[in-house]
Amino acid sequence: MPLLAVNDYSKIFEIHHLGRQIPVFQHLTFDLMAGQFLLVSGPNGIGKSTLLRCLFRSYLPSSGQAIFDSSYGPIDLARASDIDILTLRNEEIGFVTQFLRPRPRVSALELVAEPLLGSGIDEAEAFQQARDLLSNFGLKRELWDAYPTTFSGGEQQKVNLSRALVAPRRLLLLDEPTASLDIATRESLANRLGELKDQGVAMIGVFHHPEDVQHLIDDQVELAPIAVHANGVPGD
Amino acid sequence: MTDTSNPGAVVKSHPMLDAPIINRVPPLVVARNLTKYYGSIKAVDGVDVIAYPGEILGIVGESGSGKSTVLRLLNLEEPANGGVYHLQINSLANTNLFDLDRFDKRDVRVHHIGIVYQNPHLGLRMRYSASGNVAERLLITGERTFGTLRSKSNASLQASEFPIDRVDDPPSVLSGGMQQRVQLAKAIALQPELLLLDEPTTGLDVSIQATVLDTLKRIQRLRTITMILVSHDLGVIRTLADRVMVMRNGRVVEQGLTDQILEDPQDPYTQQLVHAKL
């Protein structure tokens, strides 16, 4: 059984005050196996990130199924209750972006350890793993106890990636995580993703420069423009 | 196009979601068809509230939407005109809390529910010390030993990240953020299962607000307490809430995961509310 089976999956935004429907993708079907890396490709603005956000349920997909083979058994991410999605986000499905949301007076180390602390891991162990990852991504040791609100963009990204990848996940959704990383950090990230893939983590990624992760890609799903009739209703 | 106005669904915006299958833990809070009139005005008009153990449920809406009234009903502060309210706690699970007499209601409030109000005057005695305010809560349960009262109060203040060198100061000389921390310490002193938060950081400086929100987050993580947070501030909701209900004119117009409600709202009103944010 695939880890994720996406079937006839569509997203249409309905903007009420404009009285408009905006189709993004329609009738997508693809499978993803454990340990597989799937690249989402297509031109800018075609809805690649929207696909990832639908799978994470930050957006509600309009129709179709996304059957995820969770450790609790198969569950349709398109229809799962909100509380089940929260459990899956805490335990099995991760979302990696290029943006950190630092909070005032929360240290880099604490931000990174937080996803582990939330899952009930012992505090000492959580902070040790956070330190390992921060050092892996090359954040200077003297910044670990400092507040990322004051960090440079590059430093924030190292914290962001560490936080996003610290907890074990079975599926990772990667939304342009390499954008605007320096070369060394990009390499650390590709290495880390390679390790996780070897451990069986499945990934779906959107990359501005797919060559950063070329050696990891097993397959791709290509998003194509949708024909829209004059009245704004999507055609097939 | 998906029909988002399915009249059969309780909340029309989610006609297509399944019942939970992974989570087998029953919700702590099950309130159905909450109704409250003030004269001819329906302040709360058939609202359902479901909250699971350890989650933070947000309620947003403009002034007059009925969100604070829902909180007062859940705090058993005023009688409801209709509806049932259950807390999944051993001794109470089969009781509609609205049916209890006022002594039993008070008992439920003391042992199982904590509340933090926007206005600290509602929750605190401004001339008692911070520590005394918290101890008062402990006295209700019959604790009389001075040393125990003091140490338990201070432990609760510490959990609320209140500076320990100021526990003898009365709230009247404390800053707004500190007053909220005293309210919080008082609310969690008896380790309630449910914590109600009514605009807990409204009116505080943005940076103070952020640290109070962080404290709440830490308490929720360490104590797996269920929180219901009422706020008109979408930033506060985004920072804290796992799920959110959107209220208007006493009804719930939409509910969902916080990021989904803020980034992909389905209801016309929620779309306007979210986009009206500066």
Side-chain angles (χ1 to χ4, degrees):
Chain A
M1 176 170 187
L3 183 76
L4 182 70
V6 173
N7 182 31
D8 201 20
Y9 202 54
S10 303
K11 175 60 182 174
I12 303 167
F13 285 106
E14 185 168 2
I15 317 287
H16 290 284
H17 77 281
L18 298 176
R20 276 187 63 194
Q21 294 186 353
I22 303 173
V24 187
F25 53 80
Q26 281 192 295
H27 311 302
L28 274 185
T29 297
F30 61 87
D31 282 354
L32 180 71
M33 310 300 289
Q36 218 184 8
F37 190 112
L38 184 73
L39 178 74
V40 185
S41 60
N44 278 342
I46 195 78
K48 302 188 291 290
S49 295
T50 299
L51 172 59
L52 299 186
R53 285 171 202 210
C54 282
L55 292 170
F56 199 60
R57 271 278 290 282
S58 295
Y59 295 166
L60 268 183
S62 306
S63 61
Q65 297 171 305
I67 310 290
F68 177 65
D69 186 25
S70 82
S71 63
Y72 301 91
I75 182 165
D76 183 358
L77 300 179
R79 300 179 55 109
S81 72
D82 294 322
I83 197 79
D84 282 348
I85 293 288
L86 285 171
T87 301
L88 292 175
R89 287 180 180 183
N90 277 331
E91 299 174 1
E92 305 196 15
I93 304 177
F95 197 97
V96 187
T97 67
Q98 47 175 315
F99 303 109
L100 179 73
R101 280 173 53 91
R103 303 198 307 270
R105 290 212 280 161
V106 180
S107 73
L109 200 58
E110 214 179 333
L111 267 179
V112 175
E114 210 170 50
L116 289 174
L117 294 171
S119 65
I121 285 179
D122 168 67
E123 205 164 298
E125 173 64 27
F127 280 106
Q128 188 51 50
Q129 289 188 29
R131 276 184 216 104
D132 291 349
L133 216 47
L134 282 172
S135 113
N136 184 47
F137 280 114
L139 185 73
K140 290 192 293 266
R141 196 170 286 261
E142 58 265 35
L143 292 179
W144 292 359
D145 293 315
Y147 305 137
T149 33
T150 63
F151 287 9
S152 73
E155 289 161 350
Q156 287 202 0
Q157 288 210 334
K158 291 172 185 182
V159 177
N160 176 48
L161 293 172
S162 305
R163 176 179 162 94
L165 296 174
V166 72
R169 294 288 182 256
R170 307 174 77 214
L171 172 63
L172 284 177
L173 305 167
L174 309 166
D175 191 3
E176 299 212 28
T178 55
S180 63
L181 290 183
D182 62 39
I183 292 173
T185 313
R186 222 179 297 164
E187 266 173 29
S188 323
L189 175 61
N191 288 338
R192 176 71 181 169
L193 294 179
E195 282 169 25
L196 293 170
K197 182 168 153 39
D198 290 343
Q199 292 164 20
V201 178
M203 304 179 199
I204 305 180
V206 174
F207 288 88
H208 207 62
H209 299 289
E211 54 274 16
D212 295 337
V213 290
Q214 200 63 51
H215 58 294
L216 301 174
I217 298 170
D218 297 303
D219 203 353
Q220 47 178 304
V221 53
E222 172 120 26
L223 298 189
I226 291 169
V228 179
H229 299 311
N231 61 2
V233 176
D236 284 300
Chain B
M1 180 56 199
T2 312
D3 178 14
T4 54
S5 58
N6 176 1
V10 177
V11 174
K12 63 178 180 181
S13 309
H14 274 192
M16 56 181 198
L17 298 189
D18 295 330
I21 57 175
I22 289 179
N23 277 273
R24 296 181 193 286
V25 182
L28 173 74
V29 177
V30 179
R32 298 219 182 264
N33 203 19
L34 295 180
T35 306
K36 180 69 187 177
Y37 308 101
Y38 294 112
S40 61
I41 296 170
K42 269 193 175 176
V44 176
D45 186 8
V47 168
D48 289 355
V49 182
I50 308 288
Y52 288 85
E55 78 163 332
I56 304 184
L57 174 68
I59 305 180
V60 290
E62 295 167 332
S63 304
S65 60
K67 58 190 192 304
S68 293
T69 308
V70 166
L71 215 62
R72 286 198 297 274
L73 293 178
L74 294 177
N75 195 38
L76 299 170
E77 262 176 66
E78 41 183 292
N81 294 103
V84 293
Y85 176 21
H86 292 275
L87 285 179
Q88 192 64 44
I89 292 166
N90 279 340
S91 53
L92 296 171
N94 297 317
T95 309
N96 177 4
L97 301 180
F98 291 144
D99 289 343
L100 297 175
D101 65 33
R102 65 192 179 93
F103 301 105
D104 286 341
K105 277 182 181 165
R106 180 171 176 274
D107 207 52
V108 170
R109 266 210 314 272
V110 167
H111 288 101
H112 303 296
I113 305 174
I115 189 163
V116 174
Y117 298 97
Q118 176 184 352
N119 179 352
H121 288 89
L122 287 175
L124 298 176
R125 292 176 195 274
M126 300 309 272
R127 292 173 195 285
Y128 285 26
S129 68
S131 185
N133 266 284
V134 182
E136 193 188 5
R137 190 83 177 162
L138 299 164
L139 278 167
I140 297 175
T141 62
E143 182 59 59
R144 289 290 181 272
T145 320
F146 179 78
T148 313
L149 283 170
R150 175 114 182 138
S151 69
K152 280 192 176 172
S153 301
N154 288 355
S156 196
L157 283 162
Q158 229 159 354
S160 304
E161 296 171 352
F162 182 88
I164 215 65
D165 56 334
R166 301 203 62 182
V167 297
D168 295 322
D169 290 350
S172 57
V173 304
L174 296 171
S175 67
M178 290 301 163
Q179 290 175 349
Q180 294 310 68
R181 289 180 192 282
V182 179
Q183 273 208 78
L184 182 58
K186 182 176 171 183
I188 63 172
L190 293 173
Q191 317 231 341
E193 288 85 352
L194 177 61
L195 179 62
L196 305 173
L197 303 158
D198 190 4
E199 305 271 7
T201 60
T202 302
L204 300 179
D205 284 351
V206 174
S207 66
I208 302 295
Q209 175 171 318
T211 62
V212 173
L213 295 179
D214 261 320
T215 301
L216 287 168
K217 209 162 193 163
R218 212 163 285 139
I219 286 174
Q220 181 243 4
R221 193 177 73 215
L222 295 173
R223 303 198 172 194
T224 51
I225 192 170
T226 304
M227 300 189 187
I228 299 181
L229 163 72
V230 162
S231 181
H232 71 281
D233 184 333
L234 297 176
V236 169
I237 293 287
R238 181 188 279 277
T239 305
L240 221 50
D242 299 306
R243 294 189 303 123
V244 60
M245 293 169 35
V246 182
M247 284 191 67
R248 185 190 197 194
N249 297 335
R251 291 168 174 264
V252 177
V253 295
E254 180 168 8
Q255 62 179 305
L257 294 163
T258 301
D259 51 336
Q260 184 253 300
I261 292 293
L262 296 181
E263 287 162 32
D264 186 21
Q266 309 290 302
D267 182 87
Y269 174 71
T270 316
Q271 288 188 355
Q272 287 196 351
L273 186 76
V274 168
H275 294 137
K277 199 180 159 224
L278 287 177

